[in-house]
């Protein structure tokens, strides 16, 4: 999603009212319940959150020059910076070492990269369409954020095709935008 993103893609910038910020925090907690204890630390009460409206109906929510989360249509998605700060708050999967270079280049994650030795999927089934953070074998921090193309049970049983559609990864334009 952010392979060719640049500052030229930003159409408008505005500050959010505190009532809108409260609604945003509530919506984010509804989507990721484990983040609730930290939500007031992520978005403090008297903070100045900015909304950048971009191409392709993408909206970036920015606090202190860092992207907190972004929105495409109706779903809020965490930035990798936020995932690195609060890693236990988001559903997690792990790819094997062979998939690392493909994930970092922005490719979707194939099922064999999630089921081979070194990879890890949670025991409980996660439904298709769920946003997950993608870690790599032997690495401490997440490489990417993506959406499951099929449930984790289907990934284990079928072991063919695209398992996760990549949305945001280390080194993409959103990552670079966040670190400028």
């Amino acid at each position: 999603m952010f392979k060719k993103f640049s500052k030229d893609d930003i159409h408008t910038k505005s500050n959010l009212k505190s009532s809108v910020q409260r609604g945003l925090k509530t919506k984010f907690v509804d989507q990721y319940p484990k983040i609730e204890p930290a939500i007031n630390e992520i978005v403090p009460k008297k903070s100045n959150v900015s909304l950048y409206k971009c191409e392709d109906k993408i909206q970036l929510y920015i606090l202190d020059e860092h992207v907190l989360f972004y929105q495409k249509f109706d779903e809020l998605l965490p930035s990798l910076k936020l995932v690195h700060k609060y890693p236990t708050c988001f559903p997690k999967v792990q790819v094997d070492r062979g998939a690392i270079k493909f994930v970092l280049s922005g490719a979707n994650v194939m099922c064999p990269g999630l089921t081979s030795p070194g990879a890890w999927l949670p025991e409980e089934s996660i439904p298709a369409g769920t946003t997950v953070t993608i870690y790599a074998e032997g690495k401490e921090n997440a490489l990417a954020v993506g959406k499951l193309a099929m449930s984790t049970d289907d990934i284990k049983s079928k072991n063919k095709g695209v398992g996760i559609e990549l949305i945001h990864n280390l080194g993409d334009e959103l990552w670079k935008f966040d670190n400028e």
Side-chain angles (χ1 to χ4, degrees), residues 35-96:
I35 200 87
E36 187 171 13
I39 194 68
N40 287 325
E41 185 180 324
I42 295 167
V43 184
K45 209 171 201 160
K46 299 269 184 194
S47 61
N48 189 12
V49 177
S50 299
L51 168 64
Y52 288 24
K53 290 187 178 181
C54 309
E55 284 287 323
D56 300 326
K57 300 198 185 311
I58 296 171
Q59 297 179 1
L60 305 177
Y61 295 96
I62 297 176
L63 177 66
D64 299 329
E65 301 300 316
H66 296 292
V67 177
L68 294 175
F69 20 84
Y70 50 97
Q71 185 172 2
K72 174 122 183 187
F73 300 114
D74 201 36
E75 185 180 14
L76 287 171
L77 302 161
S79 71
L80 271 173
K81 196 70 124 184
L82 188 65
V83 170
H84 289 169
K85 203 168 183 183
Y86 303 96
T88 59
C89 296
F90 306 98
K92 171 184 174 178
V93 298
Q94 180 175 302
V95 295
D96 62 9

Side-chain angles (χ1 to χ4, degrees), residues 3 99 102-103 105-110 147 162-167:
K3 277 186 185 179
F102 298 107
V103 171
S105 67
N108 290 334
V109 181
M110 305 305 284
K147 264 191 182 311
V162 176
I164 300 173
E165 295 171 1
L166 215 63
I167 298 172

Side-chain angles (χ1 to χ4, degrees), residues 2-48:
F2 293 104
K3 277 186 185 179
K4 296 179 181 173
F5 181 77
S6 72
K7 292 203 185 240
D8 296 334
D9 292 330
I10 298 170
H11 295 298
T12 61
K13 176 187 173 188
S14 59
N15 292 329
L16 295 181
K17 294 181 190 175
S18 59
S19 59
V20 175
Q21 287 182 36
R22 282 193 303 275
L24 187 68
K25 289 178 1 181
T26 303
K27 184 175 181 178
F28 198 65
V29 168
D30 288 346
Q31 284 183 238
Y32 308 100
K34 291 181 181 178
I35 200 87
E36 187 171 13
I39 194 68
N40 287 325
E41 185 180 324
I42 295 167
V43 184
K45 209 171 201 160
K46 299 269 184 194
S47 61
N48 189 12

Side-chain angles (χ1 to χ4, degrees), residues 115-143:
T115 57
S116 63
W120 177 84
L121 288 169
E123 291 297 318
E124 74 277 355
S125 181
I126 300 175
T130 303
T131 302
V132 294
T133 55
I134 304 164
Y135 288 76
E137 177 184 8
K139 305 295 179 196
E140 184 179 326
N141 292 318
L143 298 174

